Amino acid sequence: MGDAKQVYTLSDMRQWDVATGDLDSPARLAVFGDPIVHSRSPQMHNPALAAAGKNCQYVRLHIQPDELPEALELLKSQNFIGTNVTIPHKGGVFDGVDDMSEVARRIGAVNTVAVEGDRLMGHNTDAPGLKLAIREAFSMDLTDLRIMIFGAGGGAGKAASVQCAMDQCERLVLVNRTVEKAQVLAEELRDLMDDPEKLEGPTDRILAIPHEVAAMEEEIDQIDLIINATSMGMKRTDPEVIPQRLIEPHHLVYDMIYAPPRTRLIANAEAQGARASNGLGMLLWQGVLAFEYWFNEDAPVEAMRRGLLDSLGE
Ligand code: NAP
C-alpha cells in the first residue's frame, strides 16, 4: 500500500487500476489542470473524505487541452465520482458535459463535474462559493448590497458578476481595464437586474466602467462591497487596485487573492477603517459545494478549512 503520486497523467488514467492499484483507498476524485502540481485541492478534499468516512481519495491529474475530451470520457469508464477543473479547462469542460447548472451556463465555465451514471453534470461552484464566503466574512448577503467588481472581464470576475446579478444585488458596477469586456457582460446580465421590487433610483442598477480613477470616483459613493477579481495584489510591487483614499469605513472589501493572505488592498482597506477579507473563504466554499454535489450530503467544512490552512502554512 502506498501514497498517491504528486501528479497523474492521461496515460495513467487509461489504466487507472494499474496506476493507482497500490493506494490505500481508490482514487475516485481529481482535479484536472495544466499546470496542476501546485493545486491545493487534494489538501482540502482528502481531509474531508477522511472526516466523512469515504473510502476514496482525491488526486491531481495533469491534463493538456487536447487530452480533455478523452479524460472526460475516462471519468465515466474508470469509475470516478467527479472532478474539479482549473486553468485552462473551465471553458473546455463547459463544452464537454451533458448538462449543467444555470449558473455555469450563465458564466460559460464549469469548474466541477459530477459523474451521474453515464452522464456528466457540470457546475460552477466559484460563483456560489463567493456568495457563501461574503456571507461568512461580513454576515451580509449579495442581494442587499451595492457591489463594485474589479476585473469583471476575467474568469473569476465574470463568475462573481453573474452570481451578484442572479442574486438581484441592489446595484452592480463592473470595472475592467479592457472596458469593452465589462460592457458586453453588463448587457448579458441586464435582464437579471430588472426586478421591479428593487427601487429605481437616479443611478443605473448595472453599469460598466473602465479601470480608471475618475470613473471609480464617480461611483464609489454608491457602493457597499468592493470585490477584487483582478490578479493585482499577488506581487508586492503591484499597483493599487483602487486608490486607498477612495475606500471608506463603511465599505466591505473582498479580495479574491489568498496568497499572500494580506494584500495591499486588504491593508489599505483596514487602514481606512473598512472591513476586509481575503479569498481563502471563496476557495473553501467552492470546495464545500463541490463535495456536496459529489456526495449529496453536508461537507465537513472545518476539516476542509484546516486542510487548506495547513497547505498554506497558516
Ligand atoms: P483572468 O481570467 O486572467 O482575469 C484577470 C482580470 O484581471 C481581467 O479582468 C484583467 O483585465 C484584470 N487585470 C489583470 N491585470 C491587470 C492590471 N494590471 N490592471 C487592471 N486589471 C488587470 O484571471 P482569473 O482566473 O479571473 O483570476 C483573477 C484573480 O482571482 C486571480 O488573482 C486569482 O488567483 C483569483 N481567483 C481566486 C479564487 C478563489 O477561490 N479565491 C478563484 C478564482 C480566481 P483585462 O480584461 O483588461 O485583461
Side-chain angles (χ1 to χ4, degrees), residues 8 35 38 40 51 54 70 74 87 96 98-99 112 142-143 171 183 195 232 264 277 279 290:
Y8 291 89
H38 299 297
R40 293 192 168 86
K54 305 291 180 194
E70 183 180 350
L74 285 166
I87 292 168
D98 298 296
D99 198 1
T112 300
L142 296 177
T143 187
R171 185 160 189 258
Q183 285 164 341
D195 181 351
M232 294 166 83
R264 187 172 180 186
S277 174

Side-chain angles (χ1 to χ4, degrees), residues 87 90 126 151-157 176-178 181 211 229-232 234 256-258 279-280 282-283 286:
I87 292 168
K90 292 184 187 182
D126 284 333
N176 209 55
R177 177 175 59 181
T178 315
K181 290 194 212 166
H211 197 150
T230 76
S231 41
M232 294 166 83
M234 295 179 91
M256 285 195 190
I257 294 170
Y258 52 85
L280 197 71
M282 179 175 170
L283 186 62
Q286 62 78 26

Side-chain angles (χ1 to χ4, degrees), residues 126-180:
D126 284 333
L130 172 71
K131 167 184 171 149
L132 295 176
I134 299 280
R135 186 182 290 164
E136 182 176 60
F138 303 126
S139 306
M140 294 288 289
D141 282 323
L142 296 177
T143 187
D144 298 321
L145 295 168
R146 299 169 299 174
I147 302 168
M148 181 177 269
I149 301 179
F150 288 90
K158 183 169 186 188
S161 305
V162 169
Q163 187 67 53
C164 292
M166 288 182 76
D167 280 23
Q168 293 276 333
C169 67
E170 286 289 336
R171 185 160 189 258
L172 190 52
V173 177
L174 306 180
V175 188
N176 209 55
R177 177 175 59 181
T178 315
V179 70
E180 294 77 14

Side-chain angles (χ1 to χ4, degrees), residues 257-263 266 277-279 314:
I257 294 170
Y258 52 85
R262 189 172 157 81
T263 57
I266 291 182
S277 174
N278 72 22
E314 289 177 26

